[in-house]
């Protein structure tokens, strides 16, 4: 029986019937997390068919290729060695070289945090400004926001990513250039937004401290030639972002230097240790117990077989409030594709739209849509309180997440409403009906620690890579983002009035904007 046949068979059943046979489904666990897949359109036979798919697409082999440092990024003819950035004892020379780049950044972070490295005027650094975009921004921003309460005293941390000039102005507002250290992260050192903001930051520092301005900069890049050119003969710090580290997999790299400086020393250490623990699990566990394989199979099943075009990520954790934005880049830039490395098109839907937010806050917003809109979207609940000191809050947070998942699945029929509230007019009762039948995953940890943030992100990385394998995609390139960049370059002269845009509607819009 094909996967499609299984899907048709299961979709013909009431969801409650499926759930009634799934109560014995055991949660899976690894590296501080447990994952429950009970509430999905699955049964033993469909699960076995998915395991057969994992065998057929050789997911275990794909993991071995990744961890052996093979060139899994075919279009760019590269290995993907992000796992080496968090490996305590990497084996190969190349993995050791990659790991070394983290240790160099950690040393620099200590020098700045402990003020043995000072600015051009001899003052200590009291503010860090991180400039980067996409994979060179989301990661450090996520960690710093997650562990805001673990900041070192006396060091302020600011971020700037946007081409909107206000972003840098706000990032620098109130800071003293003599005490500010700027970290520019760009793998290519050719990204317009980053170069624009770095250029303006350089002028601001130069105006403030004079000729030794470069003491206030560290540039993290895989393109030292361009970065050296940017320094224009000044003696600035360059940190290596190896070519084998994709931007959206670079959270473990020297690109997170800002966090190493501004957060207490054990945060980044624990974060990388958590990821390494997940790597070990994913590399070794069999298909049935392997969290990354199981979640990748769910992604394939829900998106490609059942046809759900979106997935909602509902993070019940203050520390994970930036996670949806982070994972959007990881998953959608990796697998938002339809053409395989050999040029053939994928015939089925691939990565779904990933969106979401922070629970319980989202309950007062888009959860209405999740429950009662005609669209059905699988939800992924991450329940991981930031602290367990106040049990009342933890109980409330957890109860809300579990209640949402239960209502999404079981719904509330008209008969239920009328039984509970017999005096309601029919038109009101009808509006209280929840269709139910909406699948969900529960990912749980009793508390969100740095270790668990690391293991969680590593899990999503491996899941993304494996889901890409199921779709036959190369998850490590991103051709789709290039065209818009080229077009923007062509439209700037039109916006300056130097030429007319070739597209008639764009030309009309530019005329209106210019007027
Ligand atoms: O948006 C495309 C992209 O290439 C991302 O993949 C990357 O993370 C981001 O731009 C920034 O690139 P860079 O680090 O080269 O500045």
């Amino acid at each position: 029986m094909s996967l499609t046949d299984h899907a048709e068979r299961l979709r013909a059943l009431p969801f409650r019937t499926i759930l009634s046979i799934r109560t014995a489904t055991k949660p899976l666990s690894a590296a501080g997390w447990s994952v429950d897949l009970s509430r999905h359109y699955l049964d033993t036979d469909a699960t076995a068919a998915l395991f057969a798919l994992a065998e057929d697409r050789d997911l275990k082999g794909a993991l071995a290729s990744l961890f052996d440092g093979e060139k899994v990024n075919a279009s760019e003819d590269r290995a993907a060695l992000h796992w080496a950035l968090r490996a305590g004892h990497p084996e190969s020379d190349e993995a050791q070289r990659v790991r070394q780049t983290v240790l160099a950044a950690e040393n620099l972070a200590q020098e700045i945090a402990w003020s043995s490295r000072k600015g051009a005027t001899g003052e200590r650094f009291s503010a860090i400004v991180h400039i980067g975009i996409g994979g060179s921004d989301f990661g450090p921003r996520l960690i710093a926001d997650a562990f805001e309460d673990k900041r070192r005293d006396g060091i302020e941390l600011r971020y700037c990513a946007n081409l909107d000039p206000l972003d840098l102005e706000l990032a620098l507002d109130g800071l003293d250039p003599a005490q500010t250290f700027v970290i520019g992260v760009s793998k290519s050192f050719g990204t317009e937004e980053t170069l624009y903001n770095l250029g303006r930051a350089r002028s601001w520092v130069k105006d403030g401290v004079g000729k030794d301005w470069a003491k206030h900069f560290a540039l993290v890049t895989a393109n030292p030639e361009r970065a050296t050119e940017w320094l224009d003969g000044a003696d600035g710090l360059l940190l290596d972002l190896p070519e084998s580290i994709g931007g959206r997999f670079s959270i473990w790299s020297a690109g997170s230097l800002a966090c190493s400086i501004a957060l207490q020393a054990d945060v980044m250490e624990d974060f990388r240790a958590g990821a390494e623990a997940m790597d070990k699990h994913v590399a070794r566990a069999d298909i049935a117990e392997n969290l990354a394989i199981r979640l990748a199979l769910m992604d394939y099943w829900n998106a490609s077989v059942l046809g759900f075009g979106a997935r909602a990520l509902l993070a019940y954790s203050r520390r994970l409030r930036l996670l949806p934005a982070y994972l959007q880049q990881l998953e959608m830039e990796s697998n938002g594709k339809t053409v395989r490395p050999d040029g053939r098109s994928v015939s089925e839907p691939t990565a779904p739209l990933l969106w979401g937010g922070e629970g319980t806050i989202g309950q007062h917003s888009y959860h209405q849509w999740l429950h009662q809109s005609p669209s059905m979207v699988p939800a992924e609940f991450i329940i991981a309180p930031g602290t367990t000191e106040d049990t009342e809050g933890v109980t409330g947070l957890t109860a809300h997440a579990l209640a949402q998942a239960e209502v999404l699945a079981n719904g509330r029929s008209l008969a239920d409403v009328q039984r509970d509230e017999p005096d309601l007019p029919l038109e009101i009762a009808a509006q209280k009906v929840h269709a139910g039948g909406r699948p969900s995953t529960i990912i749980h940890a009793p508390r969100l620690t740095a270790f668990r943030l690391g293991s969680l992100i590593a899990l999503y990385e491996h899941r993304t890579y494996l889901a890409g394998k199921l779709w036959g995609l190369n998850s490590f390139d991103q051709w789709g983002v290039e065209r818009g960049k080229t077009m923007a370059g062509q439209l700037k002269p039109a916006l300056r009035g130097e030429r007319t845009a070739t597209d008639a509607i764009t030309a009309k819009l530019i005329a209106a904007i210019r007027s």
Side-chain angles (χ1 to χ4, degrees), residues 133-136 186-188 191 247-248 329 333 478 481 485:
I133 196 165
S136 296
S186 176
K187 184 174 174 187
S188 59
T191 302
R248 53 190 175 273
Q329 196 216 17
E333 198 172 51
Q478 58 281 322
V481 301
K485 291 184 194 172

Side-chain angles (χ1 to χ4, degrees), residues 204-228:
W204 178 79
V205 173
K206 266 187 184 173
D207 289 349
V209 305
K211 71 175 176 40
D212 285 337
W213 63 272
K215 286 189 169 178
H216 293 249
F217 283 81
L219 304 175
V220 186
T221 184
N223 195 332
E225 293 78 23
R226 277 194 194 156
T228 306

